[in-house]
Amino acid sequence: MAEREKRSILLVVEGAKQERLLMNKVLEEFGLDVDYRIYSYGTNIYELYERMFAHGRDELEALSFVSVLKERETDPERRELLDTNFSDVLLVFDFEGDAEDRFSFGRLEEMLDYFSESTDEGKLYINYPMVEACKHFSDLPDAGYLDRCVSADDVRSYKRIVGAESRFQNYERDFCRPALDALVLLTVAKSLRLCGAELDLGDFADSCARIDHRDIFEHEKDLYCGRSRLAVLGTCLMFVCDYAPGLIDRERAAELCGPEAGA
């Protein structure tokens, strides 16, 4: 039997530092058997939307997401990176509810619908309200995580809030196994709960497969419009579950999570 070719992943992240540190650390700790490159887009999801859909959906069908990135890129080394033949594309961006006149639920819906499959145009992971949600855990166990929200008024000061409330301040220092397994497990449990489901530790792979990022968005939208709040959720922590859910040490993680895992 021929050996299966290793997957080659392009990780398109919003920022130049935090997202890069986080994704590198997660890949390092889990030892995911993939080749990957990280490309920092450098601005928010709404600028990306405007670039992607500037000439309408019909014209977009004749292009590819990577070709749109290359059209914008002026740095020769970064253009060369985009010439790689990637099997998967992942996008990691923030909700950016405070993006003034650019913010739009309709735009986010279009982006989630378009970027729904990593082996096609790409899969989009939106962090609510931003990437710092990935470390907004007071400790382990964290009795309040499943219900943790941030008000729309506090989004601009969210980094300060996380700095005051979280034990996990530094991705490189604090995101180590087995704590990282527990953080991923809690994120999966909260994602399922937002969608009206519960985590089944006995069939963790199936639980992960039932997570629908469009459904998460609809629940976040309802919460935001109805109560001016967002459920704190760093969805990009779950990308490892899309590739190898068996890497999560579920029993040890559940011990660290306590009843908050909801299992």
Side-chain angles (χ1 to χ4, degrees), residues 125-189:
Y125 296 83
I126 297 178
N127 295 313
Y128 303 90
M130 59 186 65
V131 71
E132 281 73 17
C134 294
K135 55 185 178 182
H136 197 175
F137 300 86
S138 63
D139 206 336
L140 290 173
D142 184 346
Y145 174 72
L146 292 186
D147 297 316
R148 182 161 298 130
C149 292
V150 59
S151 72
D153 292 337
D154 285 339
V155 167
R156 289 185 182 274
S157 57
Y158 183 65
K159 293 179 182 179
R160 178 185 58 77
I161 292 170
V162 174
E165 296 181 355
S166 175
R167 195 199 91 185
F168 300 90
Q169 295 296 323
N170 183 289
Y171 294 125
E172 294 178 305
R173 181 190 66 227
D174 300 330
F175 274 50
C176 297
R177 309 285 290 275
L180 186 54
D181 293 78
L183 302 186
V184 173
L185 191 69
L186 283 170
T187 305
V188 170

Side-chain angles (χ1 to χ4, degrees), residues 76-217:
E77 289 187 8
R78 284 162 58 88
R79 283 184 63 87
E80 183 178 356
L81 181 156
L82 295 171
D83 283 331
T84 305
N85 185 25
F86 294 101
S87 63
D88 299 70
V89 178
L90 306 179
L91 299 86
V92 177
F93 281 81
D94 295 343
F95 175 75
E96 298 282 2
D98 60 342
E100 299 177 349
D101 59 333
R102 281 183 159 181
F103 170 71
S104 163
F105 285 114
R107 289 182 171 191
L108 291 178
E109 288 167 356
E110 281 193 72
M111 294 289 278
L112 282 165
D113 288 343
Y114 187 78
F115 293 110
S116 61
E117 174 51 58
S118 67
T119 57
D120 188 12
E121 287 303 321
K123 180 168 182 177
L124 172 61
Y125 296 83
I126 297 178
N127 295 313
Y128 303 90
M130 59 186 65
V131 71
E132 281 73 17
C134 294
K135 55 185 178 182
H136 197 175
F137 300 86
S138 63
D139 206 336
L140 290 173
D142 184 346
Y145 174 72
L146 292 186
D147 297 316
R148 182 161 298 130
C149 292
V150 59
S151 72
D153 292 337
D154 285 339
V155 167
R156 289 185 182 274
S157 57
Y158 183 65
K159 293 179 182 179
R160 178 185 58 77
I161 292 170
V162 174
E165 296 181 355
S166 175
R167 195 199 91 185
F168 300 90
Q169 295 296 323
N170 183 289
Y171 294 125
E172 294 178 305
R173 181 190 66 227
D174 300 330
F175 274 50
C176 297
R177 309 285 290 275
L180 186 54
D181 293 78
L183 302 186
V184 173
L185 191 69
L186 283 170
T187 305
V188 170
K190 187 167 184 174
S191 297
L192 288 165
R193 184 166 292 193
L194 281 175
C195 301
E198 294 294 331
L199 172 63
D200 179 2
L201 280 176
D203 197 345
F204 185 67
D206 181 68
S207 289
C208 294
R210 287 188 285 116
I211 294 172
D212 185 326
H213 288 258
R214 186 69 153 80
D215 202 9
I216 291 171
F217 168 78

Side-chain angles (χ1 to χ4, degrees), residues 55-91:
H55 304 296
R57 192 65 174 262
D58 291 341
E59 183 170 322
L60 183 59
E61 295 297 333
L63 301 172
S64 71
F65 172 52
V66 174
S67 70
V68 172
L69 294 180
K70 287 177 64 177
E71 182 183 72
R72 174 181 183 266
E73 186 55 66
T74 58
D75 182 275
E77 289 187 8
R78 284 162 58 88
R79 283 184 63 87
E80 183 178 356
L81 181 156
L82 295 171
D83 283 331
T84 305
N85 185 25
F86 294 101
S87 63
D88 299 70
V89 178
L90 306 179
L91 299 86

